[in-house]
Amino acid sequence: EESPRLYTREEVRSHSSPETGIWVTLGSEVFDVTEFVDLHPGGPSKLMLAAGGPLEPFWALYAVHNQSHVREILAQYKIGELSPDDKAASILKTSDPYADDPIRHPALKVNSQRPFNAEPPPELLTENYITPNPIFFTRNHLPVPNLDPDTYRLHVVGPPGGQSLCLSLDDLYQFPKHEITVTLQCAGNRRSEMTRFKEVRGLEWSAGAISTARWAGARLCDVLAQAGHQLSETEAHVCFEGLDSDPTGTAYGASIPLARAMDPEAEVLLAYEMNGQPLPRDHGFPVRVVVPGVVGARHVKWLGKVSVEPEESYSHWQRRDYKGFSPSVDWDTVDFDSAPSIQELPVQSAITQPKDGETIESGEVTVKGYAWSGGGRAVVRVDVSLDGGLTWQVAELDGEEQRARKAWAWRLWQLQAPVPAGKKELNIVCKAVDDSYNVQPDTVAPIWNLRGVLSNAWHRVHVHVAP
Ligand code: HEM
Ligand code: MTE
């Protein structure tokens, strides 16, 4: 019997396009699945996400592959094995502050490696109402701290005459456990569309800086009450500090109004679970803040300290970032003190299928996407146009029903519609309406801002129709 052909990971990686052929690995086996891509029951675009690398992280998301007939199909395409030397490769650079960051899911589209910023690809983003933890978008400003759950303590500063708390994880578990589904969106979601209009300063997010999870933890109002805090006229903000810090020792920080923090109906959480699991390291292990309806920047991860203050957090990210400005303001004229910090976000929606530039079949088209609004405002409607906004059809809303004033999570939506006869291309557009009848602006121009935040113009996708 012949010994199997051996390949390095590098060789496998270089086979990730139709021109080179599509290779994947499972365990130590290497497969050339070029011929299978178009036959894949889950569609070619999903299979392509694994092109040039291991199948395991993807198959872990889709248990449908744990069947012998799937293994048999794959076996037909085996071309060899990974070379054993290849496993002894990685050299740790200890001087790298990011060397201890966790391992990430390969499906994530990485916008920056250090600090780590990444979004799920549109093919996966709206596949599930609840985003699986491994592909939940990640927005880090600093290296991920490696915290020991046994020695972890949360410091809650008490009011004058009250008591400060120093809570272990076990102490936090003693508070009533509250669980809610919340969509988190970064202020920079869809920034790349603003950049295309005119340059902005910031990471190039597509439409994936948004994800949804079931979060569980103690309610912030219960913890603040235990420390003796009450609604007060002089102390108006709750400040949070993360345990991630830059080389000067400055920690990530942010704040929210005290009134929101103290309102049981606002359901602000000190979360220790995400989709039934302890928080993954990238998402704040062991404890993060979850502020339903509010911009991601206030959901402080790796939470170390909570205090009630007369002023907003003095953190850079509260005062010198995450604010909106007129299109006329540039980096020479910007006055960050003149604008309020972003808290509740405006109504948002985007198309995840089909993808921009794709060629679709004539006959019928399925358009899919998400819609969400800040402040607990429910999505009441999503309108879709196939002709750039001249005529509109109402999409079907999927996913969980939303509670009035507490619509913390997105709606997924879809529209199935005939492709108008004779069309060679379609300009697909979506826009959502929330229950305050807020709508999205039709173009980027009137909402462009130098930092590229709050990008919520009609989402547009241009596709070709196969002849
Ligand atoms: C379904 C094979 C890669 C996502 C299936 C099925 C097969 C298959 C045979 C149908 C299973 C059944 O219904 O009994 C393969 C092979 C792959 C591969 C051989 C690699 C060479 C992937 C990847 C992803 C993926 C990388 C995701 C990123 C899916 C999904 C379905 C599916 C979502 C379900 C489709 C549906 O029922 O709607 N795959 N797959 N597959 N696959 Fe894959
Ligand atoms: N908390 C800490 N401690 N450090 C951070 O860098 N990033 C914030 C927020 N909380 C951040 C943080 C920003 S800008 C966003 S959008 C969300 O976390 C992202 O949360 P996620 O990575 O779990 O998606």
Side-chain angles (χ1 to χ4, degrees):
E1 207 177 290
E2 273 181 63
S3 55
R5 272 212 60 180
L6 297 182
Y7 302 98
T8 63
R9 286 221 176 269
E10 202 43 58
E11 274 174 280
V12 176
R13 234 190 320 273
S14 67
H15 290 84
S16 59
S17 69
E19 294 74 46
T20 56
I22 313 295
W23 294 10
V24 294
T25 65
L26 187 70
S28 59
E29 297 180 302
V30 179
F31 307 89
D32 177 348
V33 294
T34 315
E35 302 287 300
F36 178 72
V37 175
D38 283 329
L39 307 174
H40 178 227
S45 69
K46 286 211 176 54
L47 195 158
M48 284 303 289
L49 293 168
L55 286 169
E56 284 89 340
F58 298 91
W59 283 12
L61 294 176
Y62 297 103
V64 67
H65 299 98
N66 291 331
Q67 302 183 73
S68 53
H69 82 269
V70 178
R71 304 298 159 116
E72 283 159 24
I73 293 173
L74 188 61
Q76 303 167 29
Y77 300 104
K78 180 163 173 180
I79 53 170
E81 307 221 333
L82 282 172
S83 67
D85 321 342
D86 202 43
K87 288 160 197 159
S90 61
I91 303 152
L92 261 188
K93 280 192 245 128
T94 44
S95 61
D96 174 4
Y98 292 94
D100 195 29
D101 266 21
I103 296 189
R104 275 85 182 212
H105 198 284
L108 289 169
K109 266 188 60 228
V110 178
N111 299 323
S112 136
Q113 196 58 247
R114 294 145 203 258
F116 189 73
N117 287 285
E119 60 191 297
E123 296 90 325
L124 298 184
L125 181 58
T126 51
E127 195 71 8
N128 298 93
Y129 176 69
I130 298 293
T131 316
N133 289 352
I135 59 163
F136 198 97
F137 92 91
T138 301
R139 203 300 175 228
N140 296 339
H141 292 84
L142 299 161
V144 176
N146 202 345
L147 303 173
D148 175 353
D150 296 326
T151 57
Y152 169 80
R153 294 292 181 272
L154 172 62
H155 296 276
V156 183
V157 180
Q163 55 166 139
S164 290
L165 307 176
C166 179
L167 303 172
S168 67
L169 270 182
D170 274 335
D171 296 332
L172 266 180
Y173 299 153
Q174 304 311 311
F175 289 90
K177 182 174 174 180
H178 196 71
E179 184 163 16
I180 42 174
T181 308
V182 176
T183 294
L184 218 121
Q185 183 184 211
C186 187
N189 191 29
R190 300 182 57 198
R191 175 178 286 132
S192 57
E193 292 161 61
M194 279 202 176
T195 313
R196 245 176 278 149
F197 177 74
K198 186 175 151 192
E199 198 193 336
V200 302
R201 222 175 264 178
L203 286 167
E204 284 290 289
W205 293 102
S206 300
I210 183 167
S211 298
T212 299
R214 294 278 299 160
W215 305 94
R219 283 195 306 193
L220 177 60
C221 60
D222 294 339
V223 173
L224 288 176
Q226 175 144 355
H229 286 290
Q230 296 174 327
L231 271 181
S232 131
E233 277 166 20
T234 48
E235 319 280 355
H237 302 273
V238 178
C239 298
F240 306 115
E241 249 180 60
L243 293 165
D244 49 338
S245 56
D246 69 13
T248 72
T250 310
Y252 184 87
S255 62
I256 59 170
L258 179 64
R260 182 180 288 277
M262 295 295 277
D263 179 3
E265 296 298 309
E267 302 185 280
V268 181
L269 296 187
L270 303 181
Y272 45 74
E273 268 181 30
M274 179 176 180
N275 295 329
Q277 303 289 317
L279 298 182
R281 279 185 61 206
D282 264 330
H283 302 292
F285 181 82
V287 178
R288 81 174 304 166
V289 187
V290 171
V291 196
V294 163
V295 66
R298 315 299 165 217
H299 300 228
V300 175
K301 305 192 272 191
W302 314 291
L303 186 64
K305 184 179 163 193
V306 177
S307 63
V308 182
E309 312 280 354
E311 302 273 347
E312 278 190 279
S313 166
Y314 278 91
S315 155
H316 171 86
W317 294 280
Q318 188 76 18
R319 302 220 168 202
R320 294 284 171 274
D321 200 353
Y322 298 111
K323 294 188 171 189
F325 294 97
S326 159
S328 63
V329 171
D330 62 26
W331 288 100
D332 295 326
T333 57
V334 65
D335 171 12
F336 271 95
D337 293 326
S338 69
S341 60
I342 300 171
Q343 295 281 341
E344 294 184 358
L345 284 170
V347 61
Q348 176 69 288
S349 70
I351 299 162
T352 54
Q353 180 193 320
K355 288 205 297 179
D356 198 40
E358 201 175 310
T359 300
I360 61 162
E361 298 298 318
S362 57
E364 198 176 59
V365 61
T366 301
V367 187
K368 285 190 186 181
Y370 63 77
W372 181 78
S373 190
R377 286 176 287 276
V379 170
V380 295
R381 206 179 73 230
V382 173
D383 300 325
V384 178
S385 172
L386 303 183
D387 54 13
L390 293 174
T391 62
W392 297 91
Q393 305 178 58
V394 176
E396 181 187 319
L397 297 179
D398 301 331
E400 285 172 18
E401 282 293 321
Q402 294 174 310
R403 295 175 297 168
R405 293 185 304 286
K406 289 164 87 164
W408 309 135
W410 64 12
R411 293 302 295 261
L412 302 183
W413 54 263
Q414 60 175 312
L415 175 83
Q416 261 147 334
V419 175
K423 289 272 182 190
K424 293 200 177 65
E425 50 183 19
L426 298 180
N427 287 306
I428 309 178
V429 183
C430 80
K431 63 182 178 80
V433 182
D434 73 17
D435 63 5
S436 298
Y437 285 102
N438 290 308
V439 295
Q440 300 176 238
D442 56 349
T443 57
V444 168
I447 56 166
W448 183 92
N449 60 86
L450 74 176
R451 199 64 175 84
V453 291
L454 306 165
S455 181
N456 73 332
W458 297 357
H459 193 225
R460 295 161 189 270
V461 164
H462 175 255
V463 298
H464 306 274
V465 180

